[in-house]
């Protein structure tokens, strides 16, 4: 019974995220518009102005990682809305284990994040971005999955502590933008001044960008084994912190 | 899949979960909840029988929701114990959760989903197998007359429809006890009346024990088999509506005076009269509890005229639950409206910090 119930709980929470995602077409379009503008306008402009060949290709893994970060953190932090609109009570009164509720929420959010990442990859191809190989594209899917788990669990952890949606705005401005800017999404890591280099190497998203770069173009600045190790550790640690804090969260 | 179905039948349909000597659906013994020194529920001991429609009546902030939260395992009692369907709310919280349904005060629906999807997710969370879920969804939808709206997004529902859907959802997994926290709060009178009919019908047809909180006296009066009047976290009176009212002893005469300054003076006169069993004053209106009002009214007038006090109007009525509340607490439920504003203002201030 225990395993079946656990699976059923995870699946129920995942299913809910899917049902919501299915109806959130405008949200999907909206969430892909910004990264596409970055890629098409900034990518082309910087590439041609500074005579950097294939800057757009350089930027692509970073932009995909950015989409993953935004939608995963958003997915986790959406618990704040569940609390505000009361649905959280419905979940927490049910005879289910909160750990599996958090896990299901995470899987649901990750699925939507990975779908958005893949959509962006495909749209980028239509504007002329090229990738190394089909195999590389396929390899990027599990990588996106691990990145997603890490950041959605971070979002769940934050949402379990934050009690209002004003707090959510703080998270978005003080967490996500610095994470993106400090990730090597837009610049190479080798020529940075030491303080910036330290910050970039402390940022888990950096390893996500590098891992995607390896999958799509095969030339990462950080070895892929290190990237995967860091990403997996980050995902495991945040999953435990996230579900632990969610288990103690007040309604 | 078959074994899962069987498991669900075992856990939802069997009487095995009930202990044999079980009599009452809910028994509490001195249950208490305090927050930082503020005692929200103060040593409440009640017993609710199986199949009963039990009301907790009291002003806002009386401790009704806190009591329900403890009984539904949402918060732990500071002291005292409570058993729901024979299970301890702290030590056997999981078993209690399986046995109860809760309709919360505010909406707890996912309004980005359809009514049917909300019910389906609920069934899944309670471990109901697919066939059972499908059958039960159409049943409960029919009960609250939402079958034709089931596939619309909840955000298109009216307040009354949302409330009905929540009640349907609360009943979805065949709970033995359903808690309803202010089920008609914020609804217009007509919708409220409809919700009452659903609640009454469901209590009768599904045989579910229901505990509802309300600060509407009419609601407690028309719906509940028994009513517990709760004030400042304590049960001050308990019984059937008629029983509570007749305990006040007789009819209530309401006197409105032409001159409000005479009120206190006249009150003292009535307090000394043998034919008035109880006299109170609010603003410039006197309330007299008397037996055989037909014979007492002339005496009441004589007393007033004898002291040169003129009476503007007089009404005689049977006592209401409001009178019962006043009798036990010295205040009217409606008097609490002002303090409710104060509470909301306080909440706004503290949340801004």
């Amino acid at each position: 019974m225990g395993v079946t119930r656990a699976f059923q709980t995870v699946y129920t929470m995942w299913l809910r995220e899917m049902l919501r995602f299915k109806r959130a077409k405008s949200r999907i379009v909206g969430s892909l518009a910004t990264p596409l503008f970055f890629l098409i306008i900034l990518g082309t402009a910087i590439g041609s102005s500074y005579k950097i060949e294939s800057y757009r290709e350089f930027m692509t893994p970073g932009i995909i990682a950015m989409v993953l970060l935004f939608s995963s953190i958003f997915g986790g932090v959406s618990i704040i809305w569940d609390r505000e609109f009361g649905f959280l009570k419905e979940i927490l009164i049910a005879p289910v284990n909160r750990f599996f509720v958090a896990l299901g929420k995470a899987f649901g959010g990750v699925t939507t994040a990975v779908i958005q990442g893949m959509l962006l990859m495909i749209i980028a191809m239509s504007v002329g971005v090229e990738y190394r190989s089909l195999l590389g594209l396929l390899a990027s899917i599990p990588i996106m999955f691990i990145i997603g788990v890490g950041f959605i669990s971070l979002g769940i952890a934050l949402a379990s502590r934050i009690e209002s949606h004003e707090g959510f705005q703080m998270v978005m401005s003080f967490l996500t933008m610095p994470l993106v800017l400090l990730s090597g999404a837009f610049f190479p890591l080798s020529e940075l001044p030491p303080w910036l280099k330290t910050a970039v190497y402390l940022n888990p998203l950096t390893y996500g960008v590098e891992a995607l770069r390896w999958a799509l173009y095969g030339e990462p600045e950080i070895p892929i084994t290190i990237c995967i190790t860091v990403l997996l550790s980050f995902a495991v640690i945040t999953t435990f912190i996230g579900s632990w804090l969610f288990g103690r969260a007040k309604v | 899949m078959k074994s899962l179905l069987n498991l669900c039948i075992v856990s939802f349909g069997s009487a095995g979960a009930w202990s044999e000597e079980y009599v009452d659906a809910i028994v509490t013994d001195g249950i208490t909840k305090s927050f930082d020194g503020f005692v929200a529920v103060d040593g409440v001991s009640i017993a609710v029988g199986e199949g009963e429609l039990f009301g907790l009546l009291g002003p806002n902030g009386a401790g009704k929701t806190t009591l329900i939260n403890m009984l539904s395992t949402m918060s732990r009692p500071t002291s005292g114990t409570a058993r729901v369907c024979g299970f301890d709310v702290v030590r056997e919280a999981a078993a209690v959760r399986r046995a109860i349904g809760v309709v919360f005060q505010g909406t707890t629906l996912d309004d980005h989903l359809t009514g049917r999807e909300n019910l389906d997710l609920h069934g899944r969370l309670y471990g109901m197998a697919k066939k059972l879920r499908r059958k039960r969804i159409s049943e409960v939808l029919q009960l609250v007359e939402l079958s034709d709206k089931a596939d619309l997004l909840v955000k298109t529902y009216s307040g009354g429809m949302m409330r009905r859907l929540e009640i349907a959802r609360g009943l979805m997994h065949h709970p033995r006890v359903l808690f309803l926290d202010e089920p008609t709060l914020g609804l217009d009178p007509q919708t409220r009346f409809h919700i009452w009919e659903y609640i009454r019908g469901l209590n009768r047809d599904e045989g579910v024990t229901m505990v509802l909180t309300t600060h509407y006296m009419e609601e407690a009066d028309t719906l509940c088999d028994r009513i517990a009047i709760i004030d400042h976290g304590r049960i001050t009176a308990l019984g059937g509506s008629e029983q509570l009212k007749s305990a006040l002893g007789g009819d209530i005469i309401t006197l409105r005076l032409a001159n409000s300054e005479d009120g206190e003076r006249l009150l003292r006169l009535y307090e000394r009269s043998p034919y008035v069993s109880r006299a109170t004053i609010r603003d410039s209106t006197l309330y007299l509890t008397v037996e055989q009002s037909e014979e007492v009214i002339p005496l009441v007038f004589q007393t007033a005229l004898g002291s040169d006090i003129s009476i503007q109007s007089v009404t005689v009525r049977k006592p209401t639950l409001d009178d019962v509340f006043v009798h036990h607490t010295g205040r009217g439920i409606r008097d609490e409206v002002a303090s409710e504003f104060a509470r909301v203002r306080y909440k706004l201030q503290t949340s801004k910090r």
Side-chain angles (χ1 to χ4, degrees), chain B residues 304-335:
Chain B
L305 292 172
S307 314
D308 252 356
I309 297 171
S310 63
I311 293 168
Q312 201 175 47
S313 69
V314 59
T315 51
V316 181
R317 58 181 168 81
K318 298 284 169 207
T320 64
L321 279 179
D322 193 34
D323 300 313
V324 176
F325 190 84
V326 172
H327 176 81
H328 289 287
T329 67
R331 292 170 293 115
I333 288 191
R334 292 198 180 90
D335 297 352

Side-chain angles (χ1 to χ4, degrees), chain A residues 1 4-5 8-9 11-13 15-16 19-20 22-23 85-87 89-96 101 251, chain B residues 4 7 72 74 94 97-98 102 104 107-110 112-114 117-118 121-122 124-128 153 169:
Chain A
M1 193 66 175
T4 321
R5 289 290 286 130
Q8 201 164 21
T9 307
Y11 179 72
T12 304
M13 295 309 296
L15 185 68
R16 174 187 177 229
L19 289 168
R20 286 174 69 98
K22 201 175 75 183
R23 304 222 171 80
F85 294 111
F87 189 75
K89 278 187 182 165
E90 153 75 357
I91 303 167
L92 298 185
I93 193 71
V96 293
V101 169
V251 177
Chain B
L4 191 64
L7 279 172
S72 61
M74 289 295 269
R97 285 175 180 217
R98 274 192 293 274
V102 184
F104 291 99
T107 168
T108 59
L109 299 164
D110 187 336
H112 287 77
L113 303 182
T114 65
E117 285 165 349
N118 268 286
L121 290 183
H122 182 87
R124 288 172 187 274
L125 282 176
Y126 283 77
M128 296 168 74
L153 289 184
R169 190 181 61 179

Side-chain angles (χ1 to χ4, degrees), chain B residues 198-318:
Chain B
Y198 291 121
I199 291 175
R200 208 182 289 127
L202 294 171
N203 174 247
R204 191 182 52 225
D205 302 339
E206 299 246 320
V208 189
T209 308
M210 290 186 172
V211 177
L212 71 87
T213 75
T214 183
H215 66 277
Y216 298 117
M217 285 154 306
E218 319 85 276
E219 190 159 298
D221 210 351
T222 42
L223 273 181
C224 300
D225 301 328
R226 281 196 307 150
I227 298 159
I229 292 180
I230 183 167
D231 187 44
H232 294 302
R234 290 167 182 269
I235 305 287
T236 54
L238 197 154
S241 172
E242 290 310 315
Q243 187 189 348
L244 287 172
K245 289 182 213 163
S246 61
L248 293 189
D251 303 333
I252 295 197
I253 301 175
T254 309
L255 297 174
R256 188 162 298 143
L257 304 182
N259 192 341
S260 62
E261 286 148 32
D262 298 330
E264 292 290 335
R265 192 156 58 94
L266 191 57
L267 179 73
R268 277 191 294 277
L269 287 173
Y270 287 137
E271 275 171 348
R272 267 183 265 134
S273 323
Y275 53 81
V276 175
S277 55
R278 188 181 153 86
T280 53
I281 184 165
R282 266 193 285 167
D283 303 323
S284 59
T285 308
L286 286 159
Y287 299 88
L288 309 177
T289 308
V290 302
E291 277 169 55
Q292 260 101 44
S293 56
E294 304 84 1
E295 290 159 34
V296 171
I297 288 176
L299 299 172
V300 165
F301 271 83
Q302 275 170 21
T303 307
L305 292 172
S307 314
D308 252 356
I309 297 171
S310 63
I311 293 168
Q312 201 175 47
S313 69
V314 59
T315 51
V316 181
R317 58 181 168 81
K318 298 284 169 207

